[in-house]
Amino acid sequence: MARDTPTPVDFWFDPTCPWAWMTSRWVLEVAKRRPLEIRWHIMSLTLLNEGRADLDERWHRDLALRMEPVRVCAAAEHTYGPGALRRLYTELGTRFHLEKAPKERATYEAALAASGLDRALADAAGSDAFDSAVRASHHDAIARVGTDVGTPVIAVGDVAFFGPVVTPAPRGAAAVKLWDGVLAVAETDGFFELKRTRNRNPIFA
């Protein structure tokens, strides 16, 4: 692929996941320095953990709440097209991860308004009207990487991975260096996994 030809990148995110947020900021940093065609998609930690008997009731309540902003994203994509997802994800992520805003209607409405989208789409948070679309997008990601994953999922061309999981989000030359590593493993036939246990929480700059 020529260096000036945009590399297709599909990015699946749950807007409530701080690790996906970190990775998304890194991808956007890379896009300032390398030609990328980023296509944004939703996935859901709620669906990923659906039916898990090892999670206590508190976790299941939290997972149910996490579905609300995913539904709002699905409603925005349905109404305005996939191009609206980047703007809305940035506004939701800024509120959730940087401002520590609660997952509630006022937060969704503020993010929608800042994205130039109809505040009334916040109605979707409490509705199952877009759940089939959420499931379809989520299962598209899982079909590419398997079930032993989390969010985000990134596909470079036809090769998909969970991650990279990194904090803080690399900037400048460091962002491009990590990107080149992702391209290298994506081009390596039979590469599946490279992992170590996390020993720090997300660092938001």
Side-chain angles (χ1 to χ4, degrees), residues 16-188:
T16 70
C17 177
W19 297 103
W21 172 256
M22 288 287 176
T23 308
S24 71
R25 299 310 96 178
W26 160 71
V27 166
L28 289 172
E29 181 76 6
V30 174
K32 297 175 183 177
R33 294 163 172 80
R34 292 285 178 84
L36 304 183
E37 180 190 349
I38 307 172
R39 298 173 294 217
W40 303 90
H41 312 276
I42 49 177
M43 62 183 299
S44 168
L45 288 170
T46 306
L47 298 182
L48 194 67
N49 291 280
E50 195 172 41
R52 284 186 55 181
D54 59 317
L55 298 177
D56 62 29
E57 185 60 30
R58 178 180 62 85
W59 277 104
H60 282 292
R61 286 196 302 270
D62 179 65
L63 287 170
L65 187 59
R66 285 174 182 262
M67 189 68 167
E68 291 187 355
V70 179
R71 286 168 165 168
V72 174
C73 287
E77 182 176 17
H78 174 80
T79 305
Y80 293 96
L85 282 179
R86 172 181 170 174
R87 303 195 307 275
L88 182 55
Y89 181 29
T90 291
E91 295 299 337
L92 285 170
T94 297
R95 285 161 176 78
F96 290 149
H97 308 304
L98 304 185
E99 301 173 2
K100 308 303 181 185
K103 303 175 190 72
E104 63 182 22
R105 186 181 181 97
T107 303
Y108 313 147
E109 287 188 348
L112 287 162
S115 304
L117 309 178
D118 187 353
R119 285 176 177 264
L121 293 176
D123 291 344
S127 166
D128 63 1
F130 295 97
D131 283 10
S132 60
V134 173
R135 286 185 180 275
S137 183
H138 177 86
H139 289 310
D140 184 18
I142 296 304
R144 297 169 187 246
V145 293
T147 57
D148 187 25
V149 299
T151 174
V153 168
I154 291 183
V156 182
D158 295 328
V159 180
F161 299 101
F162 159 52
V165 176
V166 59
T167 192
R171 301 291 183 184
V176 175
K177 186 175 182 179
L178 177 58
W179 174 249
D180 287 340
V182 169
L183 291 181
V185 297
E187 294 166 359
T188 302

